[in-house]
Amino acid sequence: MKIRLIGKNLEELKAVADEAGLPGFAARQIADWLYRKKVRDISAMTNISKAGRDALESKYEVGAILPSECVSSSDGTKKYLFPVTCSHGNVFAEGGERMEDGAVEAVMIPEDDRKTLCVSSQSGCRMGCRFCMTGRQGFHGHLSAADIISQFVAVDEADGLTNAVFMGMGEPLDNYGNVMKAMEILTAPWGFAWSPKRITLSTIGVIPVLKRFLDESRCHLAVSLHNPFGDERQELMPVQKAYPITDVVELIRRYDFSGQRRVSFEYTMFMGYNDSKRHADALARLLKGLECRVNLIRFHKIPDFPYDTIPDELMEQFRKRLNASGIVTTIRASRGEDILAACGMLAGKHE
């Protein structure tokens, strides 16, 4: 089996070039072909000598995973299904970890002049949030940086993507090494050369790793909050027991979000569970003084779950109450519900 080039950073590509007998600058050439030109085959790297390409092809391949299926929504959203082989170790190592076949979904969301890719970092998830279809299917493994980057280069809109949100399948901070490596490739001048402002990572609040992310990255942060009361939050989000939302917010307060990096709090609304004035006021107290935004998200009904979607007017009342309390609050438009691509609906097709 050949080794994949996609997902490697510049230092790793330098080692590949050296092994193939190529000059040092060839590493940047390979990176350019992988991440800017998005080629599918080493033979397309035409500014590398034929002998050099032959040397690379003897051991390596580009290795991007192509989607096996694509479905389109009536609102223009597109959902791609990718077959993957996942690792159950903390760091992906080809042949070195217990592997499991899985599937992940990525969602392309068009809006005006933007094309945002909602990308997955794991097949399934082990956080166990009861309202999330991904969490309810269990955990099948971590994606490698190669499989994360494959989602960016293999969708039809690859050359037109403007933004990325790590809000697909999986908890990104539970696969920190591979997610950060993918972010390095996305933001490095030798990679995609994206500004960190174009990327948002969403987490339920894994505090020790969240601190590393805040120290090591300039990308935006989104925190899945969903209820300001710890006992109620724990009913739907087991992570609350280990990492209370009050502790998550206190950690975030230590960092500066008054400049280019932003933090938002995601709040999925459930009828009769977290939609009262009491919840709005508690949420305002929790976030008081923090430079942030709250995004209210419409819940999409899933099987065997006790709560329902709330009416538009109740969401609007909740939004107005938070805004009146000084918390900038918006209602996020629901996209792709008819193809099961909206928030919390990604489940892949894992056998």
Side-chain angles (χ1 to χ4, degrees):
M1 180 181 295
K2 291 186 177 181
I3 299 172
R4 303 162 75 184
L5 290 176
I6 197 167
K8 292 188 179 298
N9 60 26
L10 190 61
E11 288 304 310
E12 291 170 321
L13 291 176
K14 285 179 179 177
V16 168
D18 182 65
E19 181 186 40
L22 296 170
F25 62 79
R28 288 185 178 272
Q29 292 176 316
I30 297 171
D32 184 67
W33 287 109
L34 293 173
Y35 305 129
R36 299 285 182 86
K37 298 183 175 71
K38 303 177 180 66
V39 299
R40 303 280 172 84
D41 197 273
I42 291 172
S43 64
M45 301 179 181
T46 52
N47 61 352
I48 296 174
S49 68
K50 178 65 165 59
R53 280 178 276 155
D54 289 344
L56 288 173
E57 287 181 319
S58 67
K59 186 173 180 180
Y60 298 95
E61 62 181 352
V62 170
I65 298 297
L66 303 182
S68 59
E69 181 180 307
C70 174
V71 291
S72 297
S73 166
S74 58
D75 63 21
T77 300
K78 293 172 70 174
K79 182 172 71 170
Y80 293 86
L81 179 71
F82 290 86
V84 293
T85 301
C86 309
S87 164
H88 281 252
N90 289 327
V91 178
F92 186 90
E94 294 189 43
E97 300 284 350
R98 183 167 69 86
M99 312 299 285
E100 181 176 339
D101 288 337
V104 298
E105 292 169 327
V107 179
M108 192 288 300
I109 308 165
E111 184 176 5
D112 298 328
D113 59 346
R114 294 161 60 103
K115 286 186 172 68
T116 299
L117 190 68
C118 179
V119 62
S120 293
S121 57
Q122 295 176 312
S123 179
C125 182
R126 54 186 172 192
M127 297 298 111
C129 298
R130 290 178 56 207
F131 56 89
C132 175
M133 290 296 290
T134 304
R136 289 171 61 165
Q137 73 170 250
F139 178 66
H140 307 301
H142 302 293
L143 298 195
S144 66
D147 285 334
I148 296 172
I149 294 297
S150 284
Q151 296 169 67
F152 288 89
V153 303
V155 297
D156 294 340
E157 300 77 16
D159 290 331
L161 294 174
T162 61
N163 297 81
V165 290
F166 281 74
M167 294 182 181
M169 299 174 67
E171 163 57 57
L173 295 187
D174 192 36
N175 187 19
Y176 186 73
N178 290 310
V179 167
M180 288 301 288
K181 188 176 180 183
M183 286 188 171
E184 176 192 8
I185 292 168
L186 290 170
T187 57
W190 48 262
F192 285 65
W194 282 17
S195 165
K197 294 187 296 182
R198 296 169 63 178
I199 303 168
T200 300
L201 178 141
S202 177
T203 178
I204 60 175
V206 184
I207 288 178
V209 196
L210 175 58
K211 185 178 187 308
R212 287 187 61 190
F213 173 76
L214 291 171
D215 289 337
E216 298 172 7
S217 173
R218 300 304 301 168
C219 295
H220 298 317
L221 174 69
V223 177
S224 295
L225 198 156
H226 308 308
N227 199 308
F229 298 108
D231 56 341
E232 295 180 17
R233 187 172 187 257
Q234 189 172 323
E235 289 178 14
L236 299 187
M237 302 177 70
V239 73
Q240 171 68 22
K241 185 173 183 180
Y243 304 118
I245 191 60
T246 51
D247 292 353
V248 173
V249 173
E250 282 307 306
L251 171 63
I252 291 171
R253 287 186 185 277
R254 301 177 201 168
Y255 294 83
D256 181 15
F257 288 96
S258 61
Q260 293 188 333
R261 182 164 62 166
R262 299 192 306 267
V263 61
S264 61
F265 292 88
E266 311 301 295
Y267 196 92
T268 301
M269 299 201 69
F270 308 96
M271 184 72 176
Y273 167 70
N274 63 352
D275 57 346
S276 70
K277 293 179 181 179
R278 179 177 68 96
H279 289 93
D281 293 343
L283 183 57
R285 289 193 300 270
L286 177 66
L287 302 180
K288 183 178 180 180
L290 181 61
E291 191 78 23
C292 67
R293 175 184 298 271
V294 171
N295 292 319
L296 302 182
I297 301 170
R298 187 177 315 283
F299 171 61
H300 305 283
K301 186 66 177 173
I302 60 177
D304 304 318
F305 186 75
Y307 298 108
D308 292 312
T309 302
I310 73 167
D312 291 348
E313 58 268 24
L314 291 184
M315 285 190 76
E316 181 60 24
Q317 290 173 18
F318 199 89
R319 183 192 70 81
K320 287 181 176 178
R321 193 169 184 88
L322 284 174
N323 279 330
S325 299
I327 306 298
V328 177
T329 306
T330 59
I331 296 176
R332 183 192 290 172
S334 180
R335 303 293 298 272
E337 183 177 3
D338 57 334
I339 57 169
L340 302 181
C343 292
M345 302 186 81
L346 299 184
K349 293 187 178 179
H350 182 81
E351 295 295 333

